[in-house]
Amino acid sequence: MCKVMAIPAINDANRSDCWVFAQLLAELISQGNDDGLGYASFDKAGNIFGEKWLINKTAFKDLNQIKKMNSEKMARIYTYFGDKVLKDESQAIILHTRAATCGKGIENTHPFINDDDKPDVAIIHNGMIYNHDIFPRKYSTCDSEVIAHLYETNKVGHSISKLSEFTEKMEGWFTVLALLKDDGGKMVMDAFSDSSRLGSYFIKELNTRVYSTYADDVAKVAKALGLTPVDMEQIKPDTAFRLDVLTGEQIEFSEIKTSANVPVTVYSEADWEGWANISTMEGNMSDDAFRQRFFSGGFRR
């Protein structure tokens, strides 16, 4: 359900190529996840901005060129946040394609931010939070939005170790990418997951690492562009790391606590029917690994 990607360490030398890479990867991870697409970024002044499209195939296009488009129709399928959209100043990108598990609409399209007027946190989420109603939410009916506000109220900017203050209360499953500033004002990118659904490759020609819930997609785009993907890495379950946005270097790592009170369903062979394509939702797991987890009670519902 949903896919995410991220690119840190974007600068004047690689920005154009990083956007080409991001847009091609966005198209690839939209397959089966076409209920909305959005991204968040930092500009050169350290402000968070981003855009959202309800219809994935319209992403990054000039919607004013569509016949009979007016402001009312535009507001239903497109929005942006931050003071200005400054893609030519981007220093990092987190991007999300959605397979809706609640209401479809621009308000439920990722990323989610903590404050419409002055966003300090932007998050994207792959997964589901079943007990989301116990957490604060302002702008949507999507369970994922609560993470943006939990980031703020739990002061995660101080340290990613503070993630456990809410991850151990969240019932469900999650792989999350976030943009924010730490307590010293440094622009950072966080990643945390309850499983191994986030992988990455270092792309030599971009001189940065590209992250995705399906690392093979990163390799496919790189090879299509004649670029060199090396040094594949996979996030470990129940862990978090923080990157310096400007350099892409890991500056903090932490184990995180997750809920032990989530009911687990053990499935039968009869349940397998109709689930043939679900392996694509689980990111980096192979079909065999997915099947084994399916029948061992490894999926939470």
Side-chain angles (χ1 to χ4, degrees):
M1 295 179 185
C2 307
K3 287 188 176 181
V4 300
M5 63 142 290
I7 309 177
I10 298 175
N11 52 52
D12 291 344
N14 68 3
R15 184 171 292 109
S16 177
D17 290 335
C18 283
W19 270 112
V20 170
F21 199 105
Q23 290 180 49
L24 288 177
L25 184 52
E27 184 174 346
L28 186 58
I29 66 176
S30 287
Q31 296 174 15
N33 299 273
D34 57 357
D35 294 324
L37 184 155
Y39 74 87
S41 184
F42 273 116
D43 66 20
K44 288 186 176 180
N47 300 310
I48 289 176
F49 71 90
E51 297 178 277
K52 304 181 187 186
W53 296 267
L54 181 58
I55 303 170
N56 295 39
K57 66 182 180 180
T58 65
F60 306 106
K61 293 180 170 58
D62 183 358
L63 301 184
N64 288 306
Q65 298 300 312
I66 299 175
K67 281 187 176 182
K68 299 183 179 179
M69 180 61 70
N70 56 41
S71 58
E72 182 180 350
K73 291 178 181 177
M74 180 82 79
R76 292 176 63 87
I77 63 171
Y78 170 81
T79 190
Y80 73 92
F81 53 87
D83 291 335
K84 295 180 180 179
V85 173
L86 297 170
K87 289 198 290 290
D88 58 348
E89 293 191 9
S90 294
Q91 301 189 91
I93 304 165
I94 58 173
L95 185 148
H96 182 279
T97 59
R98 185 174 187 233
T101 56
C102 60
K104 297 180 184 180
I106 195 66
E107 69 279 0
N108 283 348
T109 303
H110 299 226
F112 293 103
I113 51 179
N114 64 320
D115 190 302
D116 267 349
D117 295 325
K118 187 65 176 176
D120 299 310
V121 177
I123 71 95
I124 54 178
H125 169 220
N126 163 235
M128 294 182 69
I129 303 169
Y130 304 117
N131 62 338
H132 57 89
D133 286 342
I134 71 171
F135 301 116
R137 185 170 48 197
K138 294 181 182 178
Y139 306 118
S140 75
T141 61
C142 183
D143 56 292
S144 303
E145 186 200 338
V146 303
I147 300 171
H149 306 299
L150 290 168
Y151 245 83
E152 182 178 31
T153 57
N154 290 278
K155 303 184 187 306
V156 181
H158 176 70
S159 170
I160 57 171
S161 63
K162 296 181 76 64
L163 286 168
S164 289
E165 295 184 13
F166 63 84
T167 55
E168 65 180 338
K169 301 173 186 175
M170 292 195 314
E171 297 180 357
W173 51 287
F174 49 85
T175 298
V176 177
L177 290 160
L179 294 181
L180 69 155
K181 289 183 180 177
D182 67 12
D183 282 0
K186 182 192 293 288
M187 292 177 289
V188 296
M189 177 186 291
D190 287 356
F192 64 95
S193 182
D194 68 328
S195 72
S196 57
R197 279 188 298 272
L198 187 69
S200 67
Y201 278 96
F202 185 83
I203 309 300
K204 282 187 175 181
E205 293 80 1
L206 300 181
N207 195 33
T208 189
R209 191 167 282 279
V210 180
Y211 297 83
S212 178
T213 34
Y214 193 47
D216 279 357
D217 286 341
V218 176
K220 286 178 184 177
V221 172
K223 291 175 181 178
L225 292 172
L227 306 179
T228 313
V230 297
D231 189 24
M232 201 279 258
E233 292 183 353
Q234 200 88 15
I235 195 171
K236 295 180 179 180
D238 299 334
T239 61
F241 60 83
R242 173 165 289 176
L243 304 178
D244 183 325
V245 157
L246 296 181
T247 67
E249 295 176 343
Q250 183 175 298
I251 55 178
E252 191 177 357
F253 175 87
S254 179
E255 294 183 352
I256 57 173
K257 298 177 183 178
T258 53
S259 173
N261 301 314
V262 182
V264 172
T265 301
V266 178
Y267 297 95
S268 68
E269 285 286 348
D271 294 318
W272 183 254
E273 295 181 13
W275 287 58
N277 295 322
I278 200 170
S279 59
T280 61
M281 299 178 183
E282 282 300 301
N284 300 289
M285 284 192 290
S286 68
D287 289 343
D288 288 342
F290 180 89
R291 189 180 180 91
Q292 182 179 7
R293 185 174 168 195
F294 183 92
F295 289 118
S296 67
F299 287 104
R300 302 167 183 166
R301 295 192 68 166

